[in-house]
Amino acid sequence: MERVCVDAAQALSACGVGVSLMASDGTHGMAAASDPDTARIEELQFTFGEGPCIDAAAAGRPVLVPDLTDGAMRRWPMYAAAVLDEGIRAVFAFPLQVGAARLGVLDVFRARSGAMSRPELGRALTLADQVVTTLLDGQERTTGTDELDEAFEHRAALFQAQGMVMVQLRTSLAEALARIRAYAYATDRPLSEVAADILAHRLRLDTDHP
């Protein structure tokens, strides 16, 4: 997971990336970070009980803060002051979730203010999805900058398979993705292989499947 964070920091032009896990029973903690300084910054959210990452986990959607000096002090007074002192100027938090189940957050830190570009947002979402995959099936995914094109192809295939399962089961997109992930986990197979089988009509996730 540490390698994932290091590669993510490079791919997103960030000074650091961290992953924190949050259980439904309130248990939480940092899982990995790209470097020791980022690990310390990642822990601040739990020290103060506030921050973009806490809000992203609670809401189940990204919290993007391109400039911590613009309103963040009012929203997260202790957290914002602490990370600004550490030289952080922007924070982007992406929830890690499977359907309604929320696993944690991928946090991206930058030492300069400014919004992420559309391609960077796409990369961040892909990386967040790969972290979820790593957590679920225990297989590390390559996330270096040179390998992101392949990651995007896998993500596109997964989206297509998700749509097919949604139609087959007459359910929501979130539930379709949860079913695909559950099947991959139960059969100990990578998500990309399961998605490929669905697209090739070799696999149909009816109610008899896990």
Side-chain angles (χ1 to χ4, degrees):
M1 191 66 72
E2 182 177 324
R3 192 195 70 185
V4 172
C5 291
V6 171
D7 290 341
Q10 179 183 1
L12 299 173
S13 301
C15 63
V17 170
V19 171
S20 288
L21 302 183
M22 302 176 188
S24 58
D25 63 359
T27 304
H28 55 251
M30 188 200 69
S34 56
D35 58 88
D37 288 341
T38 299
R40 186 177 65 254
I41 295 170
E42 182 74 4
E43 288 284 1
L44 289 175
Q45 60 183 319
F46 304 117
T47 300
F48 298 116
E50 64 178 29
C53 20
I54 297 290
D55 288 1
R61 61 176 180 270
V63 174
L64 311 178
V65 188
D67 187 350
L68 280 165
T69 65
D70 184 15
M73 289 295 291
R74 293 190 300 273
R75 187 172 180 182
W76 311 292
M78 293 183 290
Y79 174 84
V83 295
L84 282 169
D85 285 346
E86 294 286 344
I88 302 301
R89 295 295 176 267
V91 181
F92 307 91
F94 300 89
L96 308 173
Q97 55 190 34
V98 183
R102 296 167 188 174
L103 307 179
V105 179
L106 171 74
D107 297 313
V108 180
F109 303 96
R110 283 181 169 175
R112 55 179 173 81
S113 59
M116 278 188 173
S117 66
R118 187 177 295 274
E120 287 172 336
L121 282 172
R123 289 179 180 226
L125 291 169
T126 295
L127 289 163
D129 192 63
Q130 289 179 324
V131 171
V132 171
T133 300
T134 300
L135 292 172
L136 288 180
D137 66 17
Q139 300 179 19
E140 290 196 7
R141 305 298 179 195
T142 53
T143 54
T145 304
D146 293 340
E147 295 162 320
L148 280 174
D149 286 343
E150 181 179 354
F152 278 117
E153 290 179 7
H154 288 323
R155 188 176 179 87
L158 180 58
F159 281 148
Q160 293 177 47
Q162 185 180 352
M164 288 178 62
V165 173
M166 179 188 71
V167 173
Q168 290 170 4
L169 301 182
R170 297 181 181 178
T171 187
S172 67
L173 277 171
E175 175 62 22
L177 181 58
R179 294 278 301 192
I180 295 172
R181 289 194 189 282
Y183 181 86
Y185 181 77
T187 57
D188 194 25
R189 297 179 61 199
L191 277 174
S192 58
E193 288 185 6
V194 174
D197 280 353
I198 293 172
L199 293 178
H201 302 284
R202 292 188 295 266
L203 173 65
R204 182 182 177 92
L205 294 185
D206 56 28
T207 55
D208 294 328
H209 284 102

